[in-house]
Amino acid sequence: ASTQVWHDEL
Amino acid sequence: MNVFRLVADLMHLASILILLLKIRKTRSAAGISFKSQLLYLIVFVTRYLDLFTHWVSLYNTAMKVFFIASSGYIVYQMQRRYRATWDPALDTFRIEFLLGGAAVMSLIFHTKFTFLELFWTYSIWLEAVAILPQLFQMSRTGEAETITAHYLFALGAYRGLYVVNWIYRYATEGYWEWIPFLAGMVQTVLYADFFYVYFSRVMRGKKFELP
């Protein structure tokens, strides 16, 4: 699993 | 994607196109704060570092590339071709405090202590206050060209609509991130005076003038 937070916005 | 976010993104896109139009048509960057434009360039570069690590959609990538490229272009052109058209003596807000304050805020308030996440959080806090040099300059001169007022309205509406989008996403998807929500609220509050003058004067065909 990725430790990165997912950002789907701009 | 919901309608608030889509309209917000389109307002953001429109704001930059209006700014480019203003500079081209009047052949001048007068009334535009170079410091605010520089802060926006820093905002987009630090936020979209994930351009190289995360694929969301073609829409997402195209918008990110446009926002980085256009803000870079505006900063570059204000320093080169339009250098003589704006007055640095009016643009005196101390952005060191904004750059430093956003750094402190992102070091204290973040969700993960990783390289990308810290830069993303930094961009969120910095964007909340990036308009301050522009608003400060306008409060000193007491007025703005109508096209500049339209630019600022579209830019302010973009983050204001994102706040609505976050409330909507929480209600419909249970999605919640409090850092951008709080930062978006701060930015919208900073805009309050501008919005008031915009609605009471510019929308009625009058010049943007502070009382």
Side-chain angles (χ1 to χ4, degrees):
Chain A
S2 170
T3 55
Q4 191 54 49
V5 184
W6 179 267
H7 300 293
D8 65 351
E9 294 178 331
L10 290 162
Chain B
M1 179 62 79
N2 58 62
V3 65
F4 304 111
R5 200 166 138 199
L6 181 64
V7 174
D9 288 345
L10 294 179
M11 290 292 269
H12 192 190
L13 199 62
S15 75
I16 291 167
L17 296 177
I18 293 169
L19 178 58
L20 290 170
L21 188 73
K22 175 252 175 316
I23 294 174
R24 268 188 86 94
K25 232 189 145 180
T26 63
R27 292 168 185 271
S28 163
I32 305 297
S33 163
F34 176 77
K35 288 182 175 176
S36 277
Q37 296 305 317
L38 182 63
L39 292 179
Y40 282 116
L41 174 61
I42 297 168
V43 163
F44 298 128
V45 169
T46 52
R47 183 172 311 164
Y48 300 151
L49 289 172
D50 67 353
L51 203 55
F52 305 103
T53 60
H54 289 82
W55 175 265
V56 179
S57 63
L58 181 62
Y59 169 85
N60 186 278
T61 297
M63 291 292 243
K64 285 175 174 172
V65 169
F66 177 79
F67 291 137
I68 293 174
S70 57
S71 54
Y73 176 78
I74 289 163
V75 163
Y76 177 77
Q77 290 288 42
M78 283 185 80
Q79 278 298 331
R80 303 297 291 259
R81 189 189 298 182
Y82 299 99
R83 187 70 183 84
T85 64
W86 57 277
D87 185 0
L90 296 173
D91 192 17
T92 51
F93 197 94
R94 297 285 299 270
I95 59 170
E96 298 88 332
F97 295 114
L98 304 181
L99 291 163
V104 170
M105 286 295 278
S106 54
L107 285 171
I108 301 173
F109 304 106
H110 54 262
T111 45
K112 276 211 170 101
F113 198 83
T114 62
F115 179 82
L116 280 182
E117 189 60 15
L118 283 178
F119 273 106
W120 180 86
T121 313
Y122 179 73
S123 84
I124 294 291
W125 290 123
L126 186 61
E127 186 183 23
V129 293
I131 200 61
L132 280 175
Q134 177 70 52
L135 295 176
F136 181 69
Q137 175 170 332
M138 277 159 54
S139 74
R140 286 189 68 188
T141 59
E143 58 175 30
E145 288 172 275
T146 301
I147 194 164
T148 302
H150 290 326
Y151 156 68
L152 286 165
F153 173 74
L155 186 63
Y158 139 67
R159 220 48 182 171
L161 283 167
Y162 254 87
V163 171
V164 181
N165 153 70
W166 290 316
I167 295 168
Y168 179 83
R169 287 191 76 178
Y170 180 69
T172 57
E173 314 167 27
Y175 168 93
W176 182 255
E177 279 196 86
W178 67 271
I179 291 172
F181 177 79
L182 199 63
M185 290 294 287
V186 168
Q187 177 170 334
T188 304
V189 168
L190 293 180
Y191 258 98
D193 275 354
F194 170 83
F195 283 144
Y196 176 76
V197 179
Y198 186 80
F199 282 117
S200 61
R201 291 195 57 89
V202 182
M203 294 277 264
R204 294 180 188 173
K206 296 182 203 159
K207 189 175 163 58
F208 184 94
E209 272 176 332
L210 294 172

